[in-house]
Amino acid sequence: METMSWGAELWDQFDSLEKHTQWGIEFLDRYTKFIKERCEIEVNYAKQIRNLSKKYQPKKSLREEEESKYTSCRAFLATLNELTDYAGQHEVIAENLTAKIVSELGRYIQDLKAERKSHFHDGRKAQQHMENAWKQLESSKRRFERDCREADRARQHFEKMDADINVTKADVEKARLQAQMRAQIAEDSKSEYSSCLENFNQEQNQHYHTLLPLIFQRIQEMEERRVEQVGVCMKTFAEVERQVLPIVGTCLDEMSRAAESIQPKADSQQVVECYKSGFEPPGDVEFEDYGLKRTASDSNLSHTRSRSKSKLWPFIKRNRLSLKLGSGSEDLSHLPPEQRRKRLQAKIQDIGRHLQKELDEKEALTKMKDVYQKSPQMGDPSSVEPRLAEICENIDRLRLEAQKFEGWLAEEEGRLPVKSDPPRKQSGPYGTKNSSSCGQDRESPDGSYTEDQNLEMQQRSQSNEMADKFEDEEPLPAISTCKVLYPFEGQTEGTMSVSEGELLHMIEEDKGDGWTRVRRNDEEEGYVPTSYIQVFLDNSGQDS
């Protein structure tokens, strides 16, 4: 498209062009403000994205370490990390917009203002010169007009004096000389006016056809450069964001790959590995033929059976004793076998890492001490002895601790699930009359599901605290009488050995854990399996 010249088309719109170019500068200022606000949005958005990613990052705790075993949790963590990189790209956008547009436009606007000021200063100077030339021409013209009128009046006065016969010759001559002088003055004014007019026309022609078009051309070029600069900035605005699109796309691709890495089957298997107890499920419950020997009412019998049913799943509910004993014992005996084995292995590995670290530091300090001994100028050998002694103590402590946990682990790994022999008569979910020892192997007074005598020995230490509490408590009143159906050897603290047919006082009912608290002769008391006793409705026990 052919560009039209401002000098030819807008020669009389100097003031309008001045307003237009001022508007152009204000437009650049407004566009710069727009870019700055866009940068603030990008920075704030990146900050919010980073804070969001940081908020949902897993904390350094056991629970989060366990969650990291699952593919879905690892995929979510990878997504959070990619989101942090994604936020970084928006910070890059803000930095590039600031450097390539805001800073550049700031410098360009300052130069543009100076250039515009120079061009319009030249234009106003040229206009002022033309106004002065026009004033000079008007002054010359008015002077010529005045002199012509004076000359015409002097001529008319001379003609009047010359025609009057009463006027002396001297007066006529005087009037003639005055008329000649005025005519000469008028002629000189005419010449001056003619010269001023010619000069003005030349300057005006140069002003409107040479000088003013040149100034307008420079202003036009300045304005076109401004418009071009706007286009360059807008293109840069798009390119800055386009440059980060590959990295943003990579972040999104990594998020997609993280989502595709989720393996439901593997997570399902991990649940098994995390929560597998290693216990064997309970066997079949045999029919209990009470016959005529049981004199308790049907309601009492159903009450006893209802309490026995709560023991079918011993791992779902923790009984009252286990709650009192707590679940934070050092040997982790409160955990199921499989979980205990894994936790012990993890503990041994952790101790091994700390031990290796201490050994490496001991080796380094030993070498340093040898160097100091061979070259005293390099340092005092005694300066490392305190730290070396501390490390040796730490190593001994860690080794003892490792041996302790390895012993517990060997004990746990050497234990096999115990399966009871086929009983002649089942008295409860896990015990029979002839295999009461199996019932002892399978259950403990804290409600955990034991497998052999060794595990009961571990739990015995946990039961000491409960036994001490029995001694401190005030004697509880008897609420009923019960009869022992099968012999039971209480080998753990908190339990009591009983013989078949023995009458006892029940001082605390079964809380749903399969154990009942009883007393013998107001002296000895403890827990016995609920399925081993028969509770009477009255407090006499004579209906047996």
Side-chain angles (χ1 to χ4, degrees), residues 138-153 186 189-190 193:
E138 287 291 323
S139 176
S140 176
K141 180 181 177 180
R142 286 193 299 271
R143 185 167 56 253
F144 171 60
E145 183 180 4
R146 183 181 67 250
D147 291 343
C148 285
R149 285 196 302 269
E150 293 292 334
D152 187 55
R153 284 197 297 271
S189 297
K190 180 180 179 181
Y193 169 66

Side-chain angles (χ1 to χ4, degrees), residues 392-444:
C392 291
E393 292 179 0
N394 293 338
I395 291 175
D396 294 338
R397 177 180 55 81
L398 289 172
R399 282 175 175 170
L400 291 175
E401 192 172 355
Q403 291 176 2
K404 178 174 60 176
F405 280 94
E406 287 172 355
W408 288 333
L409 177 61
E411 177 183 305
E412 186 64 44
E413 290 180 342
R415 182 179 297 114
L416 297 175
V418 177
K419 295 184 179 180
S420 59
D421 296 332
R424 293 183 304 170
K425 182 178 181 180
Q426 180 108 5
S427 61
Y430 310 113
T432 66
K433 182 174 182 180
N434 292 336
S435 60
S436 60
S437 60
C438 179
Q440 298 174 41
D441 292 339
R442 303 286 295 206
E443 298 182 324
S444 64

